[in-house]
Amino acid sequence: MGRESGVAVASSTSLAARAGAEVAEAGGNAVDAAIAATWVASVAEPGICAPGCGGFVTVWEPDGEPETIDGYVEMPGRGVDPARFGGGTRTVFLEYGGGVTMHVGHGSVGTPGGPAALQIASERHGRLPWAELLRPAVRVARDGFPLSPASSYYLGYSAGPVFGWHPDGHAALHDDAGEPLGEGELVRIPHLDDSLARIAEKGARDLYTGELADAIAADMEAHGGLITREDLAAYRPIVRPALVGAAGGWSVATNPPPAVGGAVLNAMLALMEGRPGGAWSEDDVARLVEVQRRVLGFRRERVDPREDVEEAVGELVRAFRSASTVHTSAVDAAGVACSITMSAGYGSGVMVPGTGLWLNNCLGEIELNRRGLHAWPVGARLISNMAPTVARRTGGGEVLAIGSPGADRIPTAILQVLANIANAGMAPQEAVGHPRLHLEATDDGPRVAAEPGLPRPELDIPWRWFEERSMYFGGAGVAIWSRETGLDGAADPRRAGAVAITRRP
């Protein structure tokens, strides 16, 4: 297997995984494949993500240091009349996920950075021309795509309140009788293929300084949004050294501050102290709950959006070293690993007229904007739970990429899958499919949400048992390459994800 070449891709849908495989077959590496898959996922899972998204790309080449490209959403408002701050939205409550309140509309949209980050990743680490990476997404947008199970589930709650008020968005997700499209029904989004073709030809900068940027800014100005041409032109992805920790015999590189997801993940990995050593025991589960209670409690109490988030997250890591997103993971046989997570929040419902581009509602995610609507300083990066992660076996010879969607369940999902692989020695699919738990914060105190199949230790906090595996616990994807066994991968059955492995002679 030492002379094998090829790419393994795990993504949130089969369409996205196939797009990654298509690009790999054309000579692309893991980064090319992950970018292509991410573009398709942002198109083909409406409600779950959108092209007007933000996110992070973590890459580790075998002869270099791991890095994360920060393309997360930025607070807009350059040159805006201060009287417009705090407006341009309406409040929506959904029963989704046990109940969530959010703001939607033009005022909920932050400056999207996802497309810019993907292009920077392509320029720094890819092999193929940028236009080749968008070819599958352009085709999917042109031909239409079946509504995915995850999109169908979320739109069952949000099709009306979030995506039903805007005429272009309503038309894309409802049939001629005005009924929401169901799982498997064909979705066609007018003008989206043209917009993607334009991004393929002119680069992502067209969203920031070209005709697409003009369309976004004009729509914002007309409807009380904050994004201006100045905001779009000023946006730049930031390349940062990844945050490095350890799990078992692996070095783990993940999303650094000012995001919090990677720091939370590394702190929890350290506190697990090599557990479980095999099958999960009651003591292992009790340890997992206690680790989440300590780290997630610290994160909720100490990391405030109007503080210096980087300083607060650094304190979290120091403290514990002593003691609606899509994700794609890809690795190749040359040892390159790439992990990409992108989010459009819960969706703003805004589709820029004539473009087919849905935009995020990241300013309207109340749990990430606890000081209130538009409280961030203009130009600040918003806080994020996303933690795209790559890892290398100490001494070389094995590399993996991993990540998950799932809001505040992202770090806990990745933690448990990594613990299953690095500590318990599980194969990727067993590790991803294994039952999970997550410590929830409720008005009455902490509560353990858990899937069936886990041991149940006696604890001083209540349990909430699910009847079956649930996408509430994330949608992890793992791609792995070993010098001994070659390429492998695992996609989460909770999200109907898929794996594609391309082997070239």
Side-chain angles (χ1 to χ4, degrees):
M1 301 298 292
R3 298 183 63 185
E4 177 191 35
S5 64
V7 179
V9 185
S11 196
S12 52
T13 70
S14 58
L15 276 176
R18 288 202 300 268
E22 176 183 331
V23 164
E25 289 169 354
N29 65 4
V31 177
D32 295 316
I35 292 170
T38 298
W39 270 114
V40 169
S42 75
V43 168
E45 288 211 279
I48 303 298
C49 198
C53 60
F56 303 88
V57 182
T58 299
V59 180
W60 198 346
E61 296 199 39
D63 298 325
E65 297 298 320
E67 67 179 33
T68 297
I69 301 169
D70 178 348
Y72 199 46
V73 171
E74 194 171 87
M75 178 66 194
R78 293 172 175 84
V80 170
D81 183 344
R84 283 171 58 183
F85 283 77
T89 70
R90 60 190 184 90
T91 304
V92 167
F93 175 80
L94 302 182
E95 295 289 348
Y96 176 76
V100 59
T101 300
M102 68 189 78
H103 304 295
V104 301
H106 290 76
S108 73
V109 183
T111 306
L118 293 177
Q119 180 140 25
I120 292 295
S122 169
E123 292 170 355
R124 291 175 65 86
H125 302 287
R127 288 179 182 169
L128 297 183
W130 171 250
E132 293 297 311
L133 308 186
L134 275 94
R135 190 183 302 277
V138 173
R139 184 179 64 249
V140 166
R142 182 191 66 229
D143 296 344
F145 53 89
L147 191 67
S148 74
S151 286
S152 177
Y153 178 76
Y154 178 58
L155 291 170
Y157 297 94
S158 63
V162 178
F163 296 97
W165 64 271
H166 194 286
D168 290 352
H170 183 278
L173 294 176
H174 294 75
D175 62 23
D176 292 340
E179 294 296 318
L181 297 176
E183 180 180 336
E185 291 193 76
L186 192 67
V187 181
R188 285 194 175 94
I189 303 173
H191 311 296
L192 181 56
D193 59 334
D194 293 333
S195 295
L196 295 174
R198 184 176 185 86
I199 294 168
E201 177 188 356
K202 298 183 176 296
R205 290 306 299 171
D206 197 75
L207 279 164
Y208 300 91
T209 58
E211 291 186 12
L212 291 174
D214 292 341
I216 293 169
D219 190 48
M220 289 289 134
E221 185 174 4
H223 296 96
L226 297 184
I227 297 177
T228 64
R229 289 169 177 80
E230 291 80 5
D231 292 315
L232 292 165
Y235 190 91
R236 295 291 186 277
I238 301 170
V239 180
R240 296 187 172 96
L243 182 64
V244 179
W250 295 77
S251 295
V252 178
T254 189
N255 195 6
V260 299
V264 166
L265 170 63
N266 268 2
M268 291 191 296
L269 283 170
L271 281 175
M272 285 301 293
E273 295 179 342
R275 294 174 182 249
W280 285 83
S281 67
E282 287 190 5
D283 285 346
D284 294 329
V285 172
R287 178 70 174 185
L288 177 62
V289 172
E290 179 60 21
V291 165
Q292 292 191 27
R293 176 150 55 175
R294 293 174 66 185
V295 178
L296 298 182
F298 185 98
R299 179 254 186 271
R300 282 190 295 269
E301 294 169 10
R302 302 295 295 276
V303 181
D304 188 288
R306 294 209 304 194
E307 295 175 351
D308 184 334
V309 176
E310 186 163 357
E311 180 178 344
V313 173
E315 184 180 349
L316 182 151
V317 177
R318 291 191 297 273
F320 292 111
R321 274 184 176 161
S322 62
S324 276
T325 50
V326 294
H327 179 81
T328 297
S329 299
V331 299
D332 61 36
V336 179
C338 181
S339 181
I340 303 176
T341 310
M342 292 286 161
S343 175
Y346 295 104
S348 63
V350 175
M351 180 181 284
V352 181
T355 70
L357 297 171
W358 264 303
L359 301 178
N360 67 80
N361 84 318
C362 292
L363 302 184
E365 292 188 85
I366 291 174
E367 67 270 27
L368 296 180
N369 296 275
R370 290 178 291 167
R371 287 298 186 95
L373 182 66
H374 300 164
W376 290 84
V378 171
R381 295 289 160 99
L382 274 61
I383 200 168
S384 174
N385 290 306
M386 287 186 276
T389 299
V390 297
R392 288 191 182 280
R393 176 82 73 175
T394 304
E398 198 166 5
V399 62
L400 67 80
I402 183 174
S404 176
D408 64 344
R409 280 91 63 202
I410 289 173
T412 59
I414 299 171
L415 164 70
Q416 290 167 82
V417 177
L418 276 177
N420 288 336
I421 293 173
N423 300 335
M426 294 184 192
Q429 194 60 61
E430 181 186 6
V432 169
H434 194 273
R436 298 179 197 145
L437 65 79
H438 175 76
L439 192 69
E440 300 175 311
T442 75
D443 292 339
D444 298 323
R447 177 179 64 186
V448 180
E451 295 178 320
L454 283 172
R456 179 174 177 171
E458 291 295 327
L459 301 174
D460 61 351
I461 53 179
W463 291 73
R464 178 168 79 102
W465 286 97
F466 284 63
E467 294 182 359
E468 57 186 12
R469 303 286 194 275
S470 170
M471 67 182 250
Y472 174 81
F473 295 93
V478 176
I480 190 166
W481 173 78
S482 165
R483 184 177 292 118
E484 294 182 357
T485 59
L487 295 162
D488 196 3
D492 206 319
R494 298 165 181 84
R495 278 286 297 269
V499 174
I501 297 176
T502 301
R503 294 182 172 90
R504 298 190 299 268

